[in-house]
Amino acid sequence: MPETVKHAALRWTLALLIAGVGLFFAMQVKLGENALDLLPGEAVRGDLELLQQMGMVDRVFISLEFVQPDHPLSPDQVLAKLTKSAEAIGRGLAASPFFNKVVYRLPEGYEYLFLDQLMPSLPALLTAEELAEVASQLEGEGLRRTLLEDFSLLNSLAGLPLKDHIRRDPLGLARFLLTRVQGLQGEFAVRLENGFFASRDGKNCLVWAESTKALTDSYQAEEVKDEIDTIFAQALLPGVRARLIGSLPHTLANAHTIQRDLRTLLPIATCALIALLLFALRDIRAFLVILIPFLAAPPAIAFLGHFMGGLSAIALGFGIVLLGIAVDFAIHMYLALVKEQGTAADILARLKRPMIMAVCTTVGVFVVLLTSDVPSHRQMALLAITGVLLAVFLTWLLVPVIVRRKEGSAARMEQGAGPLFFLMQSAGRKKVLFAVWSLLLATGACAWSQLSFTGDLRTLDMPAEEVVADDQHFRDTWRFQEDQAFIVVSGPDLAQALDRNDLVYKSLAAHGISGVQSLAGIMPGLVSQTRNIAGWKAFWAEQGDDFEMRLAALSEAVGFAQGAFSPFLEFLKKLPTPVEPTSLLGGPLEPMLAAMLHLPAEAGGQRDEKDTDVLVTTIVPDTEAVRAAVTDLIAAEKGVHLLSNANWRHQVETLLKKDVLRLSLMAGLLVSCITLFFFRSIRISFATLAPVLSALSAMAVFCYLTGNSLNMMHLLMGIMVIGISVDYGIFIVNACRDTGLATTIRAVSICAISTLTGFGVLAFAQHPALHSLGVTVLVGIGAAWPTALWITPVIIGKSAGQLKVKSEK
C-alpha cells in the first residue's frame, strides 16, 4: 500500500472513530426542554424553584365537562356523571407514583367534621374585628333576634339535625369559620356538591394534583402525560371530557413544536447545504467536505449531554446553525487547496494565520456567552465551542487527504469572483457604498436606542390551539385570574412560618386587598392565637354575668327550654384551646390546606436534603396594590418572598438588558483585541470589524421596523452574529495582504450563503424561539456578507480588482 494511501486511511480511521464513539454516546443523551433554562439570573430561577418546591409549578388542574348537550339528561344526572368521573380520576391519580396531594373531593360530612374540630379552638381564631361584630349582635334587640332565628330554624325540617349545634352555638359564631373556608378558595367560582368541586352552573367538576415530576422538563412531562392519559381512558364516563390545565400542556406543546421543527428542518437544512456546496464547488469531493461538520456534531452533542446531564431541544436546534459555522473552515481550506497556486504546504501555511484568527474569534465570543445568566445560552455556547473546535481539527485532518494535491503542481485560478465587485471599479462607486454603509450604521444606532427589552416568557411560548382553548375555558368556568402573585413565607419550623404568614395576611387586610387565598384564617400562628385568646377572655369578662342572665331570660321568652344553652355557657367557661396545625392537616380540610403548605422531609414531606424550610403560600391578584402592600414587610421581615409575574418580567428585562450590554461589550472587546493583536493596526482592525457593525445595525433596524422587543433569544443572536461575521472580515483582510489567498472572495461568499441557508430554514420554524433565531440572524448575516466584500477592502485601501490582479500573477 502506498505511503500516501496508508496516511489517508489512518486519518479517516481516526476521524470516523471519534465520530462513531461520539454517536454512540450522543444516542444516549436525553433530549428535553426545561422552561427554567430560559430564565436569566439566580433570583428569577430561585423564585420559580421556590414555587416548584411548593408544588405550584408542578400542579395539574383537570376540568371535567359534559359534552353531549343533546343528550336527555337532567342537571342532577349530568352532575352525577361528572362526580363519578372525578372520583375515578382522583383515585387513579392518588394511586399513581407520579402524583401526591391529590384533591378531588372533601370527605362526606366535612362541614360537621370541620366545625367539630375547630369549634373548641374558636377563641384562638376570632379577631378583634369579629368580636366587635359579636358585640353589636348582643346590643339592644340583637340577642333576641338571634334567638328567634334559632328557634325558627330548630322548628323547621332543616333544623332537626342542627339541634346540638344550636345548643352549642346559639350566636352563630361558626359563620366566622365558614367564611375562612371560603378564603381558601380565593377567587375560584366553586360550589361544593357532596364534597366535590363543581362549577356554579353544575356543568363542570374540578380535580387537581401535584406531580412528583418536574413539569417544566419535557422528558418528565411526557411521562406524566402518558400516565394521565391512561387514567382518563379508564375513568372518564361517556360524554365527559377532561381538559388539562397548567404548565404540563404548555411544556409539551413547546417541546412537540420544537421537535417537529427539528425533524422537518434538520433534513431540509442538510439537503440544502449539500446541494448548495455541490453546486458551488462542482466537485464530488465536496460531499466529503460537507461530511466534516456532521462528523463533529455527535461528539459535541455527547460531550454537552454528559457535561450538562441532558440536552435542551432548543440547544439541539442550534445545531443547524453549528453546521453552517463549522463547514466554513472546511470550505476555505478545500478551495485553497484546489484553486490556489503553489504547494500544499505553502497554501496551508498561508491559510493557517486566518484560520487561527477565525477560530479564536468564533470560539472567543462563545466563551463570552458561557458567562450569560441564561442556562440555555450556556448550553448552546458549550455546544458551539466543542463543535467548532472538533470541526477545525477534523478539517485540518481530512481536507488535505480529500484533495490529494501533488506537490509542486499549479492549479488554474478561476476568474468567477470578479462580477461581484463591479460596484467597486471606480472611486465614485466606492464613495456611494461607503455612504450607504455609514447610513446603515447611523440608522442602526438610532434604532438600537429605541428598542425595548421584554422579560415576558410568553413571547417564547408556543401553545397549541387546543391548549389555548382549554386555558380560556378554565378561566371562564372557574373565574380563574391568570395574573396571580404568590407570597411565600419560609421558616425553620411551622410555628415561625405561620407567624410570618399572619403578618402578610394583616398587611394585605390593612390595604383592603380582596381575593386573598390564605391559611391565616384557619391556621394562624402562635402570636396571633395568643392575642386572640386574650381578646376573647377580655370580651366575655366585660359581658360578665349579665350576659348569662339575659341569655336565659330571652331564650325562655322565645320558647326554648330552661338550660337549653348550657353547652354554650360551659364552653365560655372553659380554658380556650389553641389550634394545633398538625391536627388540622389530618382533618377534613387537609387536601386544601396541604396545597398551600409545604413541610420539609424531616417534617413529613418528600423532598431532597436541601429542602429544610417550612413554606406557606398566600395567593393574591398580581396588582400594583398587592406589591405596595407587602413591599415594606419584605424589607423588614426575613423569609417573606413575593413571586409576581410582573416582578419577574421586570427582573428579566433588567437582567436581559444588562446581559445584552455586558456580553456585547465583552464580545466586541474580545474580537477587537484579537484583531489588534494579529494585525497591529487600528485601521485594519476596524476594517475587520466592519461586517460585525453592519450585522448588528441591520438586526437593530429589523427589530425596530417589525416592532419586536428584544428577548433573551436576541442576546444569543447578537453573540453568534459577532462570531460569524468577524470571520468574514478576517479572511477578506488577509486576502488583501500580500500573503493572502485569492480564493477567499469565493470562499467567504459560499460560507455566507451556507450560513444563510441554515438560518433561512430556521425562519420557517413554527416555534417563536427558533423562528426569531432564524429570521433576525438571517438579516444580520445578510448585511455582514456584502460589507465584508465591498466595505472592508475600501477601508484598508484595496479593491476587488487588485485581488483579481494578484490572483493572476
Side-chain angles (χ1 to χ4, degrees), residues 475-799:
R475 289 192 293 270
D476 294 341
T477 302
W478 305 102
R479 296 183 188 175
F480 175 74
Q481 298 298 317
E482 187 175 15
D483 287 332
Q484 288 185 325
F486 303 89
I487 305 173
V488 179
V489 299
S490 59
D493 52 49
L494 184 57
Q496 190 166 339
L498 291 176
D499 282 335
R500 288 174 177 166
N501 191 56
D502 288 342
L503 294 177
V504 170
Y505 187 74
K506 290 171 186 174
S507 179
L508 295 171
H511 286 77
I513 305 298
S514 59
V516 177
Q517 191 175 348
S518 175
L519 293 180
I522 297 293
M523 199 182 291
L526 186 59
V527 173
S528 294
Q529 290 194 59
T530 302
R531 182 175 58 251
N532 291 340
I533 289 173
W536 171 273
K537 291 179 179 178
F539 176 81
W540 291 111
E542 185 178 346
Q543 296 296 324
D545 296 335
D546 178 59
F547 169 75
E548 184 174 344
M549 291 186 291
R550 286 181 63 210
L551 179 63
L554 289 174
S555 63
E556 291 184 25
V558 300
F560 284 104
Q562 186 178 9
F565 301 115
S566 57
F568 177 63
L569 295 175
E570 291 175 5
F571 166 68
L572 295 182
K573 295 175 182 177
K574 284 183 179 179
L575 187 66
T577 305
V579 177
E580 179 53 50
T582 53
S583 66
L584 287 181
L585 291 175
L589 294 183
E590 188 272 339
M592 299 177 72
L593 299 177
M596 303 174 68
L597 176 67
H598 166 73
L599 301 177
E602 60 268 27
Q606 298 179 357
R607 300 291 174 175
D608 56 43
E609 295 178 356
K610 297 180 180 179
D611 181 20
T612 58
D613 281 346
V614 174
L615 304 176
V616 183
T617 301
T618 298
I619 304 175
V620 291
D622 192 0
T623 63
E624 186 61 40
V626 169
R627 291 188 285 275
V630 297
T631 297
D632 292 340
L633 180 62
I634 292 174
E637 184 69 25
K638 181 183 177 182
V640 181
H641 312 272
L642 174 63
L643 312 182
S644 159
N645 229 358
N647 275 4
W648 288 331
R649 283 195 291 268
H650 176 71
Q651 288 183 53
V652 170
E653 287 162 9
T654 302
L655 289 170
L656 177 63
K657 189 172 184 178
K658 176 184 174 183
D659 243 15
V660 168
L661 296 175
R662 178 176 62 86
L663 296 181
S664 297
L665 288 174
M666 287 175 63
L669 182 62
L670 177 65
V671 296
S672 298
C673 289
I674 291 174
T675 55
L676 278 172
F677 175 79
F678 279 96
F679 293 128
R680 309 296 173 92
S681 169
I682 295 178
R683 186 181 67 172
I684 294 179
S685 295
F686 180 68
T688 307
L689 297 176
V692 176
L693 299 175
S694 294
L696 296 178
S697 298
M699 290 170 60
V701 172
F702 175 78
C703 287
Y704 176 76
L705 293 178
T706 55
N708 294 331
S709 298
L710 295 179
N711 57 46
M712 57 193 68
M713 294 307 295
H714 290 97
L715 169 62
L716 175 67
M717 298 169 201
I719 296 296
M720 283 193 302
V721 164
I722 292 174
I724 297 172
S725 56
V726 72
D727 291 350
Y728 301 160
I730 287 171
F731 280 103
I732 291 295
V733 166
N734 276 277
C736 292
R737 298 162 70 93
D738 294 335
T739 57
L741 298 171
T743 53
T744 297
I745 296 172
R746 187 177 183 188
V748 167
S749 299
I750 294 175
C751 291
I753 295 173
S754 66
T755 302
L756 289 174
T757 301
F759 283 114
V761 170
L762 281 181
F764 292 98
Q766 292 185 357
H767 195 275
L770 293 180
H771 174 75
S772 59
L773 181 69
V775 172
T776 311
V777 182
L778 189 66
V779 173
I781 298 299
W785 173 31
T787 300
L789 300 183
W790 295 338
I791 302 299
T792 295
V794 172
I795 296 175
I796 59 178
K798 296 286 184 179
S799 70

Side-chain angles (χ1 to χ4, degrees), residues 198-227:
S199 60
R200 296 286 171 82
D201 59 9
K203 298 179 181 179
N204 300 267
C205 204
L206 186 63
V207 177
W208 69 90
E210 181 181 331
S211 170
T212 57
K213 302 283 187 178
L215 297 186
T216 55
D217 184 296
S218 62
Y219 183 80
Q220 297 185 54
E222 199 72 61
E223 292 182 314
V224 173
K225 181 61 165 58
D226 290 342
E227 180 76 1

